[in-house]
Amino acid sequence: MTLKYGEEFLALSVSNSTVSHGPKPLMPAFTELQADEVRDVVNFLATFVPGRENQERLERGKRLWNKLGCLQCHGLKGEGGVTGPALIGITKKYKYDWVRICITTPAVHHGRKTEMPAFSEVPFMDVEAVIDFMNTF
């Protein structure tokens, strides 16, 4: 089974509302579920993994990549630039959650002196679309 998020993270997300998918939890905690029921939910979610990227979402991710200024530092297709490193293959090398956190709160992974701006105010689904676009390089 291939999931955007790991099974452990999904299980925690279902049973604990303090697990964050972005600035705010997206769903309530289902604390009344037993461990086997949480596992059933995670297995059910795995059935929704798409076989191919959604073209509209990729196009939105590309538009946001340009609008947010990602291309200024990282290049049009993640090849890198004067101030930003190349990002080709980054979504295959690192876990999805790590990439998302690097976008929304880069100081967490890059240190306080990073030139990378924090995109913490960007809506969660927009960050998701940008990462989906990053999957294409």
Side-chain angles (χ1 to χ4, degrees):
M1 140 179 22
T2 303
L3 295 170
K4 182 181 274 190
Y5 296 101
E7 290 180 41
E8 184 178 330
F9 182 81
L10 286 174
L12 283 171
S13 299
V14 169
S15 60
N16 182 346
S17 68
T18 63
V19 174
S20 180
H21 301 274
K24 300 175 190 171
L26 293 177
M27 61 189 235
F30 295 95
T31 55
E32 69 281 358
L33 294 177
Q34 301 299 314
D36 60 325
E37 294 171 312
V38 171
R39 192 172 43 254
D40 289 343
V41 170
V42 171
N43 288 335
F44 177 72
L45 291 172
T47 66
F48 291 97
V49 175
R52 50 183 252 190
E53 288 88 2
N54 178 318
Q55 191 60 37
E56 182 179 308
R57 186 168 161 134
L58 289 176
E59 289 171 9
R60 191 167 111 244
K62 182 178 181 178
R63 282 192 308 274
L64 287 162
W65 177 266
N66 296 331
K67 179 181 177 183
L68 295 172
C70 307
L71 70 103
Q72 299 299 325
C73 298
H74 299 289
L76 189 59
K77 292 288 283 172
E79 67 275 7
V82 176
T83 58
L87 299 176
I88 295 170
I90 194 96
T91 59
K92 291 154 189 70
K93 184 176 180 182
Y94 295 100
K95 290 188 176 205
Y96 191 87
D97 296 333
W98 184 87
V99 175
R100 182 176 43 79
I101 290 170
C102 284
I103 292 169
T104 58
T105 52
V108 170
H109 293 290
H110 302 296
R112 296 192 187 282
K113 297 193 185 264
T114 182
E115 292 183 39
M116 169 88 177
F119 292 98
S120 55
E121 299 300 316
V122 175
F124 179 78
M125 295 307 290
D126 287 348
V127 173
E128 299 276 300
V130 168
I131 296 171
D132 285 347
F133 174 66
M134 291 170 66
N135 279 326
T136 66
F137 13 109

